[in-house]
Amino acid sequence: MAAQEAANWALACIRPAPPGSPPFSTLTDDQILALHFLFNKTLDKAVRIIEQGGVYRLVAEPSRREVFQVMGNPKENQHYVCFPEHFCSCHAFFFDIVSRGHQICCKHQLAARLAAALQFRQSHSLDRGSWRRHLQAPLDPEEAHQMRPMLTNPDQRSLQK
């Protein structure tokens, strides 16, 4: 449990990147070292996902509930539903975290948490029907490609269906 608390503390200390700046520009060397110590190779994979624009924050209207959809293997156009602190629909979450307890979180959860802390992700508002559809079947790769150009701060809304 101490590792999880340390991870929560390290992620809580991250400041958002200013608009137009590189996503990791606000991280200090000490923060990067702490994150690398806590997450090791998972951090490298999560950073790659963020750099590729693979983190989507989906917000249900009018309830403002949110879930993240995070890119998996880009060659296979995989995306996973992710509640960053509690759940990811990927296989690694069930195998490495739930079954074996070998990691604090999977790369998708870490990517979502880092992107949220840095405010460097794509946000989309969805009505109830779209929200339900996205939870049942993750974002279609073509639809994701159409939404990709919009990196937003958390208050902006870019998709109404």
Side-chain angles (χ1 to χ4, degrees):
M1 195 56 148
Q4 184 66 44
E5 290 171 4
N8 290 341
W9 176 82
L11 290 165
C13 293
I14 296 173
R15 290 186 335 253
S21 65
F24 301 100
S25 62
T26 60
L27 293 178
T28 66
D29 289 343
D30 288 340
Q31 286 174 318
I32 292 169
L33 287 173
L35 290 170
H36 197 291
F37 175 78
L38 290 166
F39 299 108
N40 200 0
K41 293 179 182 178
T42 304
L43 177 64
D44 298 333
K45 294 173 184 177
V47 166
R48 200 169 310 121
I49 290 170
I50 294 169
E51 288 175 340
Q52 293 173 352
V55 179
Y56 303 89
R57 176 179 168 253
L58 305 176
V59 181
E61 294 295 342
S63 70
R64 304 297 296 161
R65 289 176 295 175
E66 67 179 46
V67 67
F68 284 81
Q69 189 168 306
V70 182
M71 177 178 68
N73 184 345
K75 293 177 184 174
E76 297 177 16
N77 289 319
Q78 293 175 325
H79 287 81
Y80 298 103
V81 173
C82 185
F83 293 92
E85 294 184 30
H86 306 290
F87 172 80
C88 183
S89 62
C90 74
H91 298 291
F93 176 80
F94 290 103
F95 187 70
D96 292 331
I97 293 131
V98 175
S99 296
R100 294 178 18 193
H102 285 199
Q103 294 182 0
I104 298 171
C105 63
C106 70
K107 66 182 178 183
H108 310 107
Q109 289 175 293
L110 182 57
R113 291 181 75 183
L114 279 173
L118 295 165
Q119 294 185 1
F120 196 80
R121 79 270 185 197
Q122 302 171 65
S123 268
H124 306 287
S125 295
L126 303 171
D127 64 23
R128 287 182 192 153
S130 298
W131 172 262
R132 188 174 19 252
R133 182 174 56 85
H134 283 290
L135 287 180
Q136 291 172 348
L139 201 58
D140 166 298
E142 183 58 35
E143 188 177 3
H145 180 70
Q146 292 170 357
M147 295 192 304
R148 173 169 250 132
M150 291 196 158
L151 289 174
T152 64
N153 72 36
D155 297 326
Q156 292 177 317
R157 297 180 185 144
S158 60
L159 178 67
Q160 293 286 337
K161 287 196 175 188

